[in-house]
Amino acid sequence: MASSETIEPAAGVDGPTWVYDFADGSRGMRALLGGKGANVAEMTRLLGTGRIPAGFTITTSACVAFLGERPHAYPEGLSRQVDAAVARLEEAAGHRLGDPRDPLLVSVRSGAPESMPGMMDTVLNLGLGDRSVEGLAERTGNARFAWDSYRRLLQMYANVVHGVSGERLEAQIADVKRDCGAALDTDLDVAALRELARRFKALYREHTGEEFPQDPRVQLDGAIRAVFESWEGERAVHYRRIHGMPDDIGTAVNVQQMVFGNKGETSGSGVAFSRDEMTGAPEPSGDFLLNAQGEDVVSGMRNTQDLADLVRIMPAVHDELIGALRTLERHYGDMQDVEFTIEEGRLFLLQTRTAKRHAQAAVRFAVDAVAEGLLDRERALLTVDPSTLDALLHQTIDPAFGGAPIATGVAASPGAAKGAVVFTAHAAVEAAARGEAVVLMRPFTEADDVAGFHAARGIVTSEGGKASHAALVARGMGRPCVAGVASLDIDVEAGEVRLKATGEVIARAGDLIALDGSSGAIMTADVPLVDPPQNACFDTVLGWADELRRLGVRANADTAADAARARSFGAEGVGLCRTEHMFLEADRQPGMRALILAESDEQRAAAVARLLPVQQADFEALFDAMAGLPVTVRLLDPPLHEFLPGLTELEMQVERERAAGDAGLADTERLLERVKALHESNPMLGTRGSRLGILHPGIYEMQARAIFRAARTLRERGAEPPQVEVMLPLIAYEREIELMRALVERVADEEAFDRSELSIGTMIELPRACVIAEQIAGHADFFSFGTNDLTQTTIGFSRDDAEKALLGAYLDAEVFDRSPFETLDTPGVGRLVELGCEGGRRARPGLKLGICGEHGGDPDSIAFFHAAGLDYVSCSPFRVPVARVAAAQAVARELVAAEPSAASSAAGSAPIAAVSAAPSSAPSA
């Protein structure tokens, strides 16, 4: 069972307790009662039963047990406990479920431990039938209300419980409205609603072969089962994939006495936020509808009214609602999202939850909450979702633009972009040279496409996900990216983008395309883009984070522009400079190819002489941007074949040149032979990293010389040089690091570089290196865990290949609930990181420890790195603010956990700068 709550038998109950009355729960039971059930129970305790309709919650554990049965079945004792809970609810309400004269009606709603708005199912007005609808009409004196409630039950029950198409049901409403000349649903009279109920029952009978159940207990069982099963529905599963939520926690079911917003113009339903959900401004916001139930507000079928209008229509209700919002916000210490119903002038609150909000609203709330004394800084930081913060750094689509996307994929790198469609990196480079804005569209991307990433304003792929090559490189370069747009067929050969469903061509080379990497939307309209405004609250939150966090935050940066951007975002150095990206630029590739193809010492020396000043200039610019800060330069890592044309491409070129009698055939054949010689079946586990340096030491010598000369040149100019750190990649054996360190130190001596100003370390990216870290540390000044490759080599996944099909299948099969390339696999890869830390510091207690994989920008992984005792994380420039806040939250959680009884209003207590935390010992996985 996934729930962390202990399920003890209640008094008088044999076996586990599957059902809790609202009055018996609390917000501390979230894992068991779900977010909605726990919060309704808490509201009941806080505000009393007068404002909160009574009810009960069926636990998430019951859902897990139900879904674990094949076929699905209630766990032992659940049916009896539901019967008992219904009886208690009937006694409290003074009405009986199914009473033909005065029926009790209930809603049945989902409620997972983590909010999943709109992803699972709801049934309202349950308990009505052909006889009780007449009794309800007579008792209330409002036949229209009674029949409107019945048709809603019929519509929702048919759709949710038995899968009758929503379109077919809506078509019946449209037909009836047309027949009686009604513009809105609220214009339908009693006769029209009776006719609609008749039509819905006929559809139900046609679809199921049965009559609509008149027994409310049968209705209730059907609704409970439907909510349980909606946990496995496609939209709920997809939502959990996007948000990294586990599949095995289940949803609770909340059965609550109905209150009615559809009783006329003194009734209504709405959603209210304790503050503005887009800006975070302290004024409450929201929407409501008169003479409506809650589903009308969220469905979008009717235009809502602004919450501010309620003060004019029902001033007393408005004041009561605002007071309740303030009370709930103070109690929960966070911005609240509240669903409410007004029944004939009386306010009822149906649920509350932490409001989902834009990053702009999140930082505004945090700052205001501290200023108001609502929260201290630590708790205020914990209200911010750090993964959303990079949205504050990128251009966005103007919020006033209302166009709909033509397709949607994975939001892989935030920001918005637009430009002409290109299908190759070469075309992107050429177009950018002409000053044209382009968007690179490909089925997937490879290392050869890096130049195109530099040139393009944005990247779109039809395959892959958040951890694909396209996503990783795009985030590192700050380019917006939408990956895995499965509904698009990106045909590079034909130069067309088509909708897979219809075959319609939506774009050709040169056509305008726009993307929003924050939402995953693809558009063909000329969307207006706006720059993010300066945000003082964001700066304040980042300042708090820097005062609190223990982990340092560096950036992965390969160019001076990347480094300058990262520094402006608060990076404290470069944790990874990937020198291979410098050689993948179009003007650098000829020199690199000449070095690879050299057949004599003289040719190699000439190629090195050509590359050395270019590499030195790159380092000078990078070092200048990071003056005074540490810069970790990784020597060449990828296999040499990545700098040469592809084998198949060259073989075809040879055939073409041979057939044409081309004068350059001999050179092309020589190149082909060299490519064949370098070809490896599994190059990522082949001749790369320090293996390359041992076999071809001239490359590493050239790079080391360029590093030292660049640092010396800056010093000679009077500029402050960086703290130079040389990183040796792919070390598996102690002797490898001995040999490579000796090479770097020799070059440093030849260049008269002061060794006291030099650190030499290694990237830990192989399981063997983690296991023998104690031996390796004897020759290293620092370790930097390369968790991208460490994940690949530990699990045996090829990241890009796994992204295409395997990861999705594994997520569906619940092998894991999040991609290990997005969030660190802590039991496996994380345990190796811990072993590496422990072994390294046994040999060298002061060993500096960092991480430079993509996980360095993932908040959940950062929490692990904090606990493991690392000194810093390094991530892509646009993730630097995310990492700063996530690192501070790791400390804040420890402080809050250590003082559980501390008042949440301690904003003016000890200065945050005085708080410190020693490195935690590494926890077991």
Side-chain angles (χ1 to χ4, degrees):
M1 182 174 57
S3 171
S4 62
E5 302 285 349
T6 301
I7 307 174
E8 300 292 343
V13 175
D14 294 328
T17 301
W18 303 115
V19 179
Y20 289 81
D21 290 344
F22 290 163
D24 297 330
S26 71
R27 65 174 172 172
M29 301 171 69
R30 186 183 190 93
L32 189 63
L33 302 182
K36 187 174 298 182
N39 285 337
V40 171
E42 190 74 9
M43 285 200 302
T44 301
R45 289 168 175 257
L46 182 66
L47 302 175
T49 56
R51 282 184 179 165
I52 316 301
F56 57 89
T57 299
I58 304 170
T59 65
T60 57
S61 303
C63 175
V64 172
F66 173 86
L67 295 176
E69 295 290 334
R70 291 292 184 270
H72 294 158
Y74 278 180
E76 176 65 29
L78 175 58
S79 187
R80 291 194 303 275
Q81 291 182 34
V82 169
D83 285 340
V86 168
R88 292 192 298 271
L89 179 59
E90 289 175 332
E91 183 178 355
H95 308 289
R96 187 168 56 83
L97 202 64
D99 188 322
R101 291 173 295 180
D102 189 11
L104 168 68
L105 304 186
V106 297
S107 63
V108 181
R109 301 174 187 263
S110 63
E114 298 298 328
S115 179
M116 296 174 61
M119 294 301 109
M120 291 179 292
D121 289 329
T122 295
V123 178
L124 304 181
N125 308 309
L126 190 143
L128 279 174
D130 292 347
R131 292 179 62 202
S132 57
V133 67
E134 300 287 4
L136 182 64
E138 183 177 347
R139 182 180 68 80
T140 61
N142 189 338
R144 191 200 176 281
F145 150 70
W147 281 96
D148 184 50
S149 298
Y150 192 30
R151 71 90 183 169
R152 289 171 184 270
L153 169 64
L154 292 165
Q155 182 179 356
M156 297 182 81
Y157 197 89
N159 175 246
V160 168
V161 180
H162 288 287
V164 177
S165 163
E167 289 79 5
R168 292 188 70 188
L169 293 161
E170 287 293 338
Q172 294 298 323
I173 297 175
D175 286 348
V176 171
K177 283 162 64 176
R178 185 179 57 252
D179 291 346
C180 64
L184 301 172
D185 295 0
T186 50
D187 296 331
L188 295 173
D189 60 16
V190 174
L193 291 168
R194 283 179 178 271
E195 171 60 17
L196 200 50
R198 185 193 67 77
R199 293 188 181 202
F200 283 165
K201 286 192 288 184
L203 268 181
Y204 183 94
R205 183 168 53 252
E206 176 189 330
H207 185 85
T208 66
E210 301 172 353
E211 296 293 336
F212 177 76
Q214 297 296 307
D215 183 344
R217 191 62 179 83
V218 173
Q219 294 177 12
L220 182 58
D221 272 345
I224 292 169
R225 288 172 176 270
V227 173
F228 278 164
E229 289 172 344
S230 69
W231 177 256
E232 295 184 334
E234 183 177 352
R235 62 186 177 184
V237 171
H238 185 65
Y239 185 90
R240 294 197 296 275
R241 294 289 174 273
I242 292 173
H243 294 277
M245 296 169 58
D247 285 326
D248 61 354
I249 57 176
T251 180
V253 177
N254 298 285
V255 179
Q256 189 171 29
Q257 181 181 355
M258 282 292 301
V259 286
F260 301 98
N262 59 329
K263 279 191 170 182
E265 294 304 307
T266 60
S267 302
S269 297
V271 176
F273 296 88
S274 60
R275 306 193 185 215
D276 189 290
E277 74 277 17
M278 291 304 294
T279 68
E283 297 78 22
S285 65
D287 301 290
F288 73 98
L289 280 170
L290 294 177
N291 195 21
Q293 292 193 335
E295 292 302 304
D296 299 322
V297 178
V298 298
S299 70
M301 298 299 290
R302 291 170 58 186
N303 292 329
T304 58
Q305 292 180 260
D306 190 274
L307 186 66
D309 293 337
L310 190 60
V311 70
R312 173 179 50 83
I313 301 169
M314 300 183 198
V317 170
H318 176 270
D319 291 347
E320 187 180 0
L321 175 60
I322 298 304
L325 291 172
R326 290 181 180 138
T327 298
L328 290 168
E329 184 179 90
R330 282 195 305 271
H331 182 73
Y332 281 93
D334 206 347
M335 189 170 148
Q336 294 298 293
D337 167 0
V338 175
E339 291 185 17
F340 66 90
T341 288
I342 306 162
E343 181 178 324
E344 296 180 325
R346 183 180 177 188
L347 176 68
F348 294 92
L349 305 181
L350 306 184
Q351 74 156 318
T352 189
R353 59 190 173 196
T354 298
K356 292 187 177 295
R357 62 253 199 197
H358 188 274
Q360 179 182 354
V363 296
R364 171 73 184 270
F365 171 77
V367 172
D368 285 353
V370 171
E372 296 165 11
L374 177 66
L375 299 172
D376 58 28
R377 290 182 178 183
E378 291 83 1
R379 287 173 173 81
L381 278 169
L382 291 174
T383 67
V384 177
D385 179 358
S387 65
T388 66
L389 293 176
D390 54 1
L392 297 174
L393 308 175
H394 294 272
Q395 276 197 320
T396 59
I397 294 175
D398 189 334
F401 180 77
I406 56 163
T408 304
V410 176
S413 183
K418 61 181 177 180
V421 173
V422 294
F423 293 100
T424 67
H426 179 71
V429 171
E430 286 191 336
R434 297 191 297 268
E436 298 174 9
V438 295
V439 171
L440 177 62
M441 301 191 73
R442 295 188 61 76
F444 56 89
T445 63
E446 300 175 289
D448 290 345
D449 296 317
V450 168
F453 279 72
H454 272 294
R457 301 289 178 87
I459 297 93
V460 177
T461 68
S462 55
E463 299 178 12
K466 286 185 177 180
S468 64
H469 174 271
L472 295 176
V473 177
R475 286 197 293 271
M477 294 183 179
R479 297 292 190 273
C481 176
V482 177
V485 190
S487 61
L488 295 184
D489 180 8
I490 300 176
D491 189 335
V492 174
E493 293 299 320
E496 293 179 344
V497 181
R498 297 184 292 269
L499 292 175
K500 285 183 179 177
T502 63
E504 176 190 355
V505 175
I506 61 165
R508 294 184 171 87
D511 290 348
L512 181 70
I513 202 84
L515 67 139
D516 184 347
S518 301
S519 69
I522 305 295
M523 302 180 181
T524 53
D526 187 8
V527 301
L529 303 181
V530 293
D531 289 326
Q534 185 71 23
N535 191 311
C537 292
F538 187 26
D539 294 339
T540 298
V541 167
L542 290 174
W544 295 345
D546 292 341
E547 292 174 3
L548 184 60
R549 62 186 167 86
R550 180 186 60 76
L551 278 172
V553 178
R554 301 188 190 181
N556 302 338
D558 308 328
T559 67
D562 288 344
R565 181 184 296 113
R567 191 164 191 164
S568 73
F569 293 155
E572 298 162 322
V574 170
L576 174 63
C577 170
R578 294 158 290 205
T579 53
E580 62 269 16
H581 285 179
M582 298 173 173
F583 294 125
L584 288 168
E585 296 283 355
D587 60 338
R588 315 291 176 83
Q589 288 191 10
M592 193 64 186
R593 288 182 182 179
L595 178 61
I596 296 169
L597 297 174
E599 296 177 347
S600 67
D601 291 342
E602 291 78 10
Q603 289 177 337
R604 272 187 287 275
V608 166
R610 180 178 175 183
L611 285 172
L612 178 57
V614 174
Q615 181 93 115
Q616 180 180 334
D618 287 333
F619 290 141
E620 286 179 18
L622 181 68
F623 292 170
D624 193 36
M626 280 289 168
L629 297 177
V631 175
T632 305
V633 179
R634 183 180 72 185
L635 300 185
L636 196 68
D637 182 44
L640 293 179
H641 82 274
E642 288 199 6
F643 302 98
L644 299 174
L647 180 60
T648 303
E649 174 189 344
L650 268 180
E651 287 174 337
M652 294 174 64
Q653 184 177 341
V654 165
E655 291 301 321
R656 288 194 300 268
E657 290 181 359
R658 185 174 289 136
D662 196 296
L665 175 62
D667 290 338
T668 307
E669 287 179 329
R670 186 168 67 90
L671 179 60
L672 176 60
E673 290 307 310
R674 186 63 173 147
V675 169
K676 285 181 177 178
L678 292 172
H679 180 73
E680 295 177 303
S681 298
N682 194 345
M684 296 312 292
L685 296 179
T687 308
R688 52 168 289 220
S690 291
R691 301 164 190 173
L692 188 65
I694 291 171
L695 294 180
H696 303 280
I699 296 176
Y700 275 19
E701 288 178 0
M702 178 272 293
Q703 290 193 295
R705 207 171 301 281
I707 291 169
F708 300 138
R709 289 184 180 182
R712 186 178 64 211
T713 298
L714 258 65
R715 190 182 299 280
E716 289 171 352
R717 290 181 193 159
E720 185 180 11
Q723 302 165 31
V724 176
E725 300 180 349
V726 176
M727 183 155 65
L728 305 168
L730 209 74
I731 294 291
Y733 290 88
E734 182 181 4
R735 182 60 176 158
E736 289 175 323
I737 191 170
E738 279 187 280
L739 291 170
M740 291 297 94
R741 184 178 183 109
L743 181 151
V744 173
E745 289 179 335
R746 173 175 58 78
V747 175
D749 292 342
E750 291 170 0
E751 294 297 325
F753 190 87
D754 186 349
R755 284 203 204 175
S756 68
E757 298 179 0
L758 170 65
S759 293
I760 301 173
T762 181
M763 179 178 280
I764 302 292
E765 50 194 323
L766 294 171
R768 191 177 195 275
C770 297
V771 173
I772 66 159
E774 192 167 355
Q775 293 96 297
I776 291 174
H779 310 278
D781 302 317
F782 65 87
F783 284 175
S784 181
F785 290 91
T787 52
N788 294 346
D789 277 356
L790 185 58
T791 298
Q792 292 192 96
T793 54
T794 299
I795 301 178
F797 279 165
S798 164
R799 181 182 64 216
D800 289 340
D801 292 336
E803 277 282 347
K804 293 177 184 177
L806 186 61
L807 291 186
Y810 268 42
L811 288 166
D812 290 341
E814 301 180 8
V815 176
F816 41 63
D817 52 51
R818 297 182 73 173
S819 165
F821 296 109
E822 293 179 22
T823 296
L824 192 75
D825 164 41
T826 54
V829 179
R831 183 60 190 135
L832 286 174
V833 170
E834 291 170 342
L835 283 174
C837 294
E838 294 161 2
R841 283 191 170 152
R842 271 197 305 271
R844 185 172 293 201
L847 183 71
K848 188 188 302 180
L849 300 173
I851 175 267
C852 59
E854 188 70 12
H855 300 101
D858 172 65
D860 290 340
S861 303
I862 289 169
F864 173 84
F865 297 134
H866 167 86
L870 269 66
D871 294 300
Y872 69 87
V873 298
S874 188
C875 55
S876 60
F878 283 95
R879 300 294 285 179
V880 166
V882 173
R884 290 163 66 188
V885 172
Q889 288 179 333
V891 177
R893 288 190 193 95
E894 292 176 347
L895 295 175
V896 170
E899 301 178 15
S901 61
S904 64
S905 59
S909 58
I912 198 168
V915 177
S916 63
S920 303
S921 59
S924 60

